[in-house]
Amino acid sequence: MDVTDIKAQNIKRVLEVLRISGGTTKNEIAAITGLSFSTVSNLCNELKEQGVLVEEKISSISVGRIPSIQIFKCSRYASVCIDFQQEGILNFSILNFANKRLYQTFFDISGMQEISLLTDLIETTYRDALCQMVDIRIVGVGVSIPGIYDESTGLTINSTVSVLNHTPLKELLEHRLKLPCYVENESNLCALSICQERPEIRNAVYLHSSSGLGVGVICEGHLLKGKNGYAAEVAHMPIGTPDVECPFCGNSGCIESDLSQRGMETLRFPTHSDEVRARLMEDRAEKLGALLSILVNLFDPDVVYIGGRGFAEYGRLESTVLRVLRRRSPLGMGKELEILHDMDSLRAIEKGVTQVIYDKWNPLQK
Ligand SMILES: [Zn+2]
């Protein structure tokens, strides 16, 4: 690690203290980070020159020397979030580093076959949104995909949104928007949002159902990626209905066919009798329970989140899911494993994107 890397890391440590505390003194920052007072002071001064920090006097103290607190102006910085979790819809939003949504719109892209049309749409929307931003600096764009971003080739693969497959989406958007771009799997972003929201959690699983079925795993405080970024790919695990052919990989029995949004919506076909609907509901709940028990047994998490539009009606599946989990994962369940339903996974995705962009951002770069 060279000096520049160490400095960048120290800056992030200082900012993280200020981001969580809302503002504090240089002495306090030094005590929390373990950095020397002079290092903290130099970094704060540089950040102040860049407009990242402001200094304010604590006016309530009336005797002695009046200390100053450093405040991170996190609402001045923002990132673009592009999301595809709802089948046929592109969601475009801008959030500042305080996680406040500054802009949001969406488009029907169900008939879109050409990646150039998609990047045209994103670029036009970005330019329009930019005109409405006052005193805000956009520092990056994050794209949440139901699929995998292959870091070795820079291509988007295995996505249920076909227009994204085998495209250099990151490179195309960096060229169009002139911003650093990060492409990440949607369930990984949901998992990262848990780290931000609940930093005490070291091990977590987030199972997400949209046009695809994915899982994000936080293992000992880190997002599990694997050698190629393919880790924890559950979509094509052969524990689904055996005779159903998967339209994506061509095999039969992929769990995604049952538990993706499309698979879950088959429960609501108007032609089904109440009896058929109840049987299908029980079947999906059993399968969800089985998948979760595999994940719990593999990763021994503190918490499991279930989210995405496909699981909007999780409340109706819950009693069967828990019964299967108690049977198949007695060790984890015996330790009061938390199983939570996230009703707003788009918010989790947006927070995850903001976190990724914030982590990669260099505040001293003009
Ligand atoms: Zn498959």
Side-chain angles (χ1 to χ4, degrees):
M1 194 182 289
D2 66 22
V3 179
T4 333
D5 289 335
I6 293 169
K7 185 174 173 184
Q9 270 192 6
N10 288 345
I11 283 172
K12 280 297 171 64
R13 286 165 71 190
V14 169
L15 287 181
E16 205 51 35
V17 172
L18 297 177
R19 200 181 177 201
I20 293 166
S21 65
T24 190
T25 62
K26 289 176 180 173
N27 269 324
E28 189 69 21
I29 301 169
I32 296 172
T33 57
L35 297 169
S36 71
F37 179 83
S38 64
T39 303
V40 169
S41 190
N42 289 337
L43 292 175
C44 285
N45 291 342
E46 265 192 79
L47 289 165
K48 215 158 43 186
E49 274 172 38
Q50 296 293 326
V52 181
L53 292 191
V54 290
E55 194 171 276
E56 281 181 13
K57 297 279 182 202
I58 305 172
S59 54
S60 58
I61 299 170
S62 55
V63 283
R65 191 169 170 268
I66 301 171
S68 300
I69 56 167
Q70 311 297 311
I71 297 171
F72 174 23
K73 300 300 283 179
C74 52
S75 56
R76 280 186 187 164
Y77 300 91
S79 55
V80 174
C81 171
I82 294 165
D83 156 80
F84 298 94
Q85 72 159 327
Q86 192 179 347
E87 200 154 341
I89 302 288
L90 178 149
N91 186 70
F92 180 107
S93 50
I94 296 179
L95 275 84
N96 66 20
F97 280 169
N99 278 325
K100 186 176 173 209
R101 204 183 271 151
L102 306 175
Y103 183 91
Q104 188 181 30
T105 187
F106 59 90
F107 302 94
D108 183 346
I109 55 157
S110 47
M112 203 172 267
Q113 305 289 334
E114 296 281 325
I115 190 70
S116 59
L117 294 176
L118 187 80
T119 48
D120 281 347
L121 177 67
I122 292 171
E123 184 179 356
T124 313
T125 311
Y126 173 62
R127 306 271 167 234
D128 287 349
L130 215 51
C131 297
Q132 299 177 37
M133 301 286 137
V134 180
D135 198 24
I136 299 284
R137 196 173 143 209
I138 312 265
V139 299
V141 52
V143 188
S144 163
I145 56 163
I148 296 171
Y149 172 66
D150 188 328
E151 286 181 20
S152 61
T153 60
L155 300 178
T156 305
I157 57 170
N158 263 34
S159 180
T160 46
V161 183
S162 57
V163 70
L164 301 177
N165 275 326
H166 308 290
T167 59
L169 188 61
K170 172 181 156 68
E171 190 186 328
L172 292 171
L173 288 181
E174 285 186 339
H175 176 70
R176 291 291 192 104
L177 307 187
K178 312 288 181 233
L179 287 172
C181 175
Y182 306 97
V183 182
E184 183 56 275
N185 170 269
E186 57 191 12
S187 41
N188 283 349
L189 289 163
C190 289
L192 286 171
S193 78
I194 301 171
C195 299
Q196 192 192 10
E197 200 110 296
R198 300 175 67 183
E200 76 285 4
I201 298 277
R202 303 288 296 160
N203 294 282
V205 165
Y206 194 118
L207 183 68
H208 187 268
S209 169
S210 65
S211 60
L213 180 72
V215 66
V217 177
I218 301 295
C219 199
E220 307 297 342
H222 298 282
L223 181 69
L224 188 71
K225 300 278 277 185
K227 184 182 125 205
N228 303 294
Y230 304 166
E233 171 71 355
V234 292
H236 306 282
M237 277 170 65
I239 56 167
T241 307
D243 53 355
V244 173
E245 194 177 314
C246 172
F248 300 103
C249 75
N251 293 303
S252 294
C254 297
I255 190 66
E256 182 173 81
S257 302
D258 296 296
L259 296 184
S260 64
Q261 189 182 344
R262 195 179 300 204
M264 294 303 289
E265 278 172 355
T266 59
L267 269 64
R268 291 203 290 272
F269 280 173
T271 49
H272 288 333
S273 64
D274 287 350
E275 195 189 338
V276 169
R277 202 167 291 149
R279 189 164 43 77
L280 282 172
M281 183 75 82
E282 186 66 7
D283 172 74
R284 295 297 192 274
E286 294 250 359
K287 287 188 167 67
L288 176 56
L291 175 58
L292 289 176
S293 74
I294 292 170
L295 296 170
V296 167
N297 294 348
L298 280 174
F299 300 112
D300 185 19
D302 297 289
V303 59
V304 172
Y305 281 80
I306 293 150
R309 298 178 75 87
F311 295 140
E313 293 184 63
Y314 172 71
R316 296 172 68 187
L317 309 173
E318 190 174 35
S319 62
T320 302
V321 167
L322 294 179
R323 181 169 47 76
V324 175
L325 271 169
R326 279 192 290 270
R327 200 175 64 227
R328 299 263 181 191
S329 305
L331 293 176
M333 292 301 278
K335 296 282 183 185
E336 292 174 2
L337 169 66
E338 263 190 286
I339 315 267
L340 299 174
H341 181 206
D342 181 7
M343 314 274 262
D344 190 359
S345 64
L346 175 59
R347 187 79 185 132
I349 287 170
E350 288 179 335
K351 281 185 183 174
V353 164
T354 311
Q355 187 64 35
V356 169
I357 304 280
Y358 171 77
D359 287 342
K360 309 263 184 190
W361 171 56
N362 177 356
L364 296 184
Q365 204 168 42
K366 287 183 183 161

